[in-house]
Amino acid sequence: MEKELVFGHQNPDTDAIGTAIAYSYLQNKLGYDTEAVALGEPNDETAFALKKFGFEEAPRVIKTAANEVNKVMLVDHNEPQQSVSDIDKVTVTHVVDHHRIMNFNTSTPLFYLAEPVGCTSTIMYGLYKHFKVEIPENIAGIMLSAIISDTLLLKSPTTTERDKKAVQELAEIANVDYQKYGLEELKAGTNIASKSEEELIDLDAKSFDLNGKNVRVAQINVVDLPEALERKETFLKTMKDSAKSEGYDLFMLLITNVLDSDSTALVIGSDEALTSFEKAFGEVKDSEISLPGVVSRKKQVVPPLTEAFK
Amino acid sequence: MEKELVFGHQNPDTDAIGTAIAYSYLQNKLGYDTEAVALGEPNDETAFALKKFGFEEAPRVIKTAANEVNKVMLVDHNEPQQSVSDIDKVTVTHVVDHHRIMNFNTSTPLFYLAEPVGCTSTIMYGLYKHFKVEIPENIAGIMLSAIISDTLLLKSPTTTERDKKAVQELAEIANVDYQKYGLEELKAGTNIASKSEEELIDLDAKSFDLNGKNVRVAQINVVDLPEALERKETFLKTMKDSAKSEGYDLFMLLITNVLDSDSTALVIGSDEALTSFEKAFGEVKDSEISLPGVVSRKKQVVPPLTEAFK
């Protein structure tokens, strides 16, 4: 069997890394020869989760894939600009994802499973059940961590009944109290004091092609919004520099309080792009806008922006 | 529950119509409110299969969807130009398919299941099992007919072990000898004498966007290749007229002998497109090329063309 690499998106979060580990394990059990890799180093939250469940090393970081393999499997993403830089030079044989489908084109049939649930690991949990493959304790732990991360401990509006059921069952296999562990995990990802603005705006950032406009949406989790906003001017300057060098028409930084599930966004961009943004979310004052209840980029940010940019 | 329409591709074949019927039945059992419709009248083979299994009426034919519903479910296709004409005005909530993914973009997450098997009904069979929904005899019959059609009675190179298993199990539920019934079904679709060249080149035709070129690939099934080729000059003229009026850069008519699984293709197009075609399949003489063993548009025609048009 020809070796394939399994990976999640750039700027990996706990779902991208955790589900890649889980899918690689499952596919190897089913007879494939795969290795879970990552398109970046784990963030603080993911590192916390990996350590908690006994993974001594994070998946190997790759910059390109075609130098190693002909075939790859994607989890937690499908849009080419979120994937490995040479994605056009390899064949995608499998995708498991929970996002919209955009600019994902293949020349041959493939396995593609997307479901509109809160986390790719919830779909992965269903695949383990379907193939009747037993989930080891550490894999259950990292999948649980992925769902806690993506759903903000089941409080995000993306959360479905299936996510809740998966969390309960995976917590049992992983032998943890998911409420207690979940808060610890989320808090592990909120330590922004030790990081520069450059790091923070790139930590969990994704690019979207919205009707030809290059839109960057970054998100950071905090437990103290006012503390984060003390760094507003430096954030804005850093975002402007990044937009200039990378060619973003709009840069949005979503700062989310993981304890009360509210966000404030910092936004910069061209006049035209800002007009579209305001069509979706209302007036931006001093490059800032309060977004009560907004915590999900996928469900609460990208769809209204997509509409507004049409 | 808001009503949704379920349909397969334009110029529907037995898989497009049969799997739409099967998916609508399944989704209604699961609590959705759906109706199976079609983007065209059934061909002779599909009409034969529908009659055989007691469907008194074929699914209603629609030209547009947005005048009736906001949401749709697609089977056996995903490429917009193969779908309903106003596909951009409705939301696709579910896709079950076995083709490559191309130009299929959504603004929100959805359910998407693609598997590289011979027929969408084989995937559908798996979904019935997954959801533990019993398959009625007539639905089993039309799903069986779809797999026989797409795999040319399990002889196409697209055929997988799962298609074979599904055929055996569905034949049992439908209470037919699939070898005997399969030959009857395939032969029912080979009566080309009663049809005009205009009808024949449109019966099972699909358009593909290959690197900006508009490529039309039609296929007809016969039991007597020389008899079909007696009409070659009229076929070519009709194909040229169609290419001119519809703006096809290339028009390929694959004439497949369903008994011995060989094809001859008639090909017309611009010099540039024909050069690409010959890169994929070799020299075209007098607009004709013999393609021994080629029976699958999806697996044996579109991938080499896609490569050649790069």
Side-chain angles (χ1 to χ4, degrees):
Chain A
M1 185 66 72
E2 187 183 338
K3 185 180 170 179
E4 301 188 44
L5 295 177
V6 184
F7 49 85
H9 50 78
Q10 293 173 17
N11 303 324
D13 58 9
T14 307
D15 191 19
I17 287 183
T19 306
I21 292 171
Y23 199 32
S24 175
Y25 179 88
L26 174 65
Q27 293 294 66
N28 291 350
K29 282 280 171 194
L30 297 176
Y32 290 89
D33 174 16
T34 73
E35 178 190 357
V37 294
L39 304 187
E41 298 292 340
N43 61 34
D44 289 351
E45 180 201 280
T46 309
F48 176 87
L50 287 169
K51 191 171 170 208
K52 164 81 182 180
F53 293 104
F55 292 92
E56 294 192 359
E57 288 182 356
R60 180 168 63 91
V61 174
I62 62 163
K63 294 292 170 201
T64 55
N67 54 313
E68 295 190 47
V69 293
N70 298 310
K71 297 176 174 180
V72 302
M73 305 184 183
L74 309 184
V75 296
D76 196 30
H77 76 296
N78 66 83
E79 304 191 34
Q81 78 277 17
Q82 295 168 8
S83 197
V84 75
S85 59
D86 61 347
I87 187 72
D88 58 321
K89 294 195 178 61
V90 289
T91 301
V92 179
T93 65
H94 293 71
V95 179
V96 183
D97 191 19
H98 67 136
H99 295 90
R100 69 170 191 173
I101 299 175
M102 188 61 75
N103 299 326
F104 179 80
N105 297 318
T106 69
S107 60
T108 51
L110 74 163
F111 177 88
Y112 197 114
L113 176 59
E115 297 188 72
V117 294
C119 179
T120 318
S121 264
T122 300
I123 306 170
M124 196 54 60
Y125 179 63
L127 284 174
Y128 271 83
K129 281 203 158 178
H130 175 75
F131 288 111
K132 298 187 172 64
V133 171
E134 200 181 331
I135 309 177
E137 190 173 325
N138 62 340
I139 302 264
I142 201 70
M143 287 166 73
L144 170 70
S145 304
I147 307 176
I148 288 166
S149 171
D150 267 20
T151 64
L152 292 182
L153 198 34
L154 304 177
K155 284 193 296 188
S156 162
T158 56
T159 310
T160 66
E161 288 305 313
R162 286 189 41 209
D163 297 299
K164 292 178 191 167
K165 189 155 177 280
V167 158
Q168 276 159 8
E169 298 185 12
L170 289 167
E172 204 158 299
I173 301 170
N175 207 19
V176 292
D177 173 339
Y178 73 83
Q179 288 287 0
K180 183 168 168 288
Y181 167 67
L183 276 181
E184 288 167 9
E185 180 199 338
L186 289 180
K187 280 186 187 163
T190 62
N191 177 19
I192 67 168
S194 64
K195 292 194 178 57
S196 71
E197 287 76 10
E198 283 83 359
E199 288 173 294
L200 289 168
I201 67 162
D202 195 49
L203 204 58
D204 176 15
K206 291 183 182 175
S207 294
F208 299 90
D209 175 353
L210 299 184
N211 199 18
K213 298 295 179 194
N214 191 354
V215 174
R216 186 79 164 172
V217 184
Q219 185 167 24
I220 56 178
N221 290 341
V222 301
V223 288
D224 186 344
L225 258 177
E227 185 196 15
L229 288 172
E230 282 171 15
R231 297 163 74 176
K232 175 176 167 180
E233 292 314 317
T234 326
F235 274 129
L236 290 174
K237 188 187 172 309
T238 316
M239 289 159 65
K240 280 175 193 161
D241 290 346
S242 170
K244 199 171 170 188
S245 67
E246 304 296 327
Y248 303 132
D249 296 289
L250 188 92
F251 198 130
M252 172 182 189
L253 173 64
L254 197 65
I255 309 173
T256 300
N257 184 325
V258 294
L259 299 183
D260 66 9
S261 302
D262 281 328
S263 294
T264 287
L266 301 180
V267 195
I268 60 101
S270 69
D271 288 349
E272 189 191 347
L274 282 171
T275 304
S276 298
F277 180 91
E278 292 190 326
K279 231 192 298 172
F281 292 107
E283 193 184 359
V284 177
K285 276 184 196 162
D286 297 329
S287 304
E288 180 178 333
I289 182 168
S290 171
L291 299 169
V294 171
V295 296
S296 166
R297 171 169 47 199
K298 175 157 50 76
K299 193 155 186 165
Q300 297 172 296
V301 175
V302 175
L305 280 184
T306 304
E307 276 304 309
F309 274 81
K310 265 184 185 167
Chain B
M1 186 66 69
E2 187 184 338
K3 186 181 168 180
E4 301 188 42
L5 296 178
V6 184
F7 49 86
H9 51 77
Q10 294 173 17
N11 305 322
D13 58 9
T14 307
D15 191 19
I17 288 184
T19 306
I21 292 172
Y23 199 32
S24 175
Y25 179 89
L26 173 65
Q27 293 293 65
N28 290 351
K29 282 280 171 194
L30 297 176
Y32 289 90
D33 174 14
T34 73
E35 178 190 358
V37 294
L39 303 187
E41 298 292 342
N43 62 33
D44 290 350
E45 180 201 279
T46 309
F48 176 87
L50 287 169
K51 193 172 168 207
K52 166 80 181 181
F53 293 105
F55 292 93
E56 295 192 359
E57 288 181 355
R60 180 168 64 89
V61 174
I62 62 162
K63 295 290 169 202
T64 55
N67 54 313
E68 296 189 46
V69 293
N70 298 311
K71 295 177 175 180
V72 302
M73 305 182 182
L74 310 184
V75 296
D76 196 28
H77 75 295
N78 67 83
E79 304 192 33
Q81 79 276 17
Q82 297 167 7
S83 197
V84 74
S85 59
D86 62 345
I87 188 72
D88 57 322
K89 295 194 176 60
V90 290
T91 300
V92 179
T93 65
H94 293 70
V95 178
V96 183
D97 190 18
H98 68 136
H99 295 89
R100 68 171 191 172
I101 299 176
M102 187 61 75
N103 299 326
F104 179 81
N105 297 318
T106 70
S107 61
T108 50
L110 74 162
F111 177 88
Y112 197 114
L113 176 59
E115 298 188 71
V117 294
C119 179
T120 319
S121 264
T122 300
I123 306 171
M124 197 54 60
Y125 179 64
L127 284 174
Y128 270 83
K129 282 203 156 176
H130 174 76
F131 288 113
K132 297 188 173 63
V133 172
E134 200 181 331
I135 309 176
E137 191 174 322
N138 63 340
I139 302 261
I142 201 70
M143 286 166 73
L144 170 69
S145 305
I147 306 175
I148 288 167
S149 171
D150 267 20
T151 64
L152 293 182
L153 199 35
L154 306 177
K155 285 193 295 189
S156 161
T158 57
T159 310
T160 66
E161 287 305 313
R162 285 188 44 207
D163 298 298
K164 292 178 191 169
K165 189 154 179 280
V167 158
Q168 276 158 8
E169 299 187 11
L170 289 167
E172 203 158 303
I173 301 170
N175 208 18
V176 292
D177 174 339
Y178 73 82
Q179 288 286 2
K180 184 167 167 290
Y181 166 67
L183 275 180
E184 288 167 9
E185 181 200 338
L186 290 180
K187 280 187 187 162
T190 63
N191 177 18
I192 68 167
S194 65
K195 292 196 177 58
S196 71
E197 286 76 8
E198 283 83 359
E199 288 173 295
L200 289 168
I201 66 160
D202 195 49
L203 205 58
D204 176 15
K206 291 185 181 175
S207 294
F208 299 91
D209 175 352
L210 299 186
N211 199 17
K213 298 293 178 196
N214 191 354
V215 174
R216 186 78 163 172
V217 184
Q219 184 168 24
I220 55 177
N221 290 342
V222 300
V223 287
D224 186 345
L225 257 177
E227 184 196 16
L229 288 173
E230 283 170 15
R231 298 164 74 177
K232 174 175 168 180
E233 292 314 317
T234 327
F235 272 130
L236 289 175
K237 187 186 173 311
T238 316
M239 288 158 66
K240 281 176 193 158
D241 291 347
S242 171
K244 199 171 169 187
S245 68
E246 303 297 326
Y248 303 131
D249 297 288
L250 189 92
F251 199 130
M252 172 182 190
L253 174 64
L254 199 64
I255 309 174
T256 300
N257 185 325
V258 293
L259 299 184
D260 66 7
S261 302
D262 281 329
S263 295
T264 288
L266 301 180
V267 195
I268 60 103
S270 69
D271 289 347
E272 190 190 346
L274 283 171
T275 304
S276 297
F277 181 91
E278 292 190 326
K279 231 192 297 173
F281 291 108
E283 195 185 354
V284 176
K285 276 186 194 160
D286 296 330
S287 303
E288 182 179 330
I289 182 169
S290 171
L291 299 169
V294 171
V295 296
S296 165
R297 172 168 48 199
K298 174 156 52 74
K299 193 155 185 167
Q300 297 172 295
V301 175
V302 175
L305 280 184
T306 304
E307 276 305 309
F309 274 81
K310 264 183 186 167

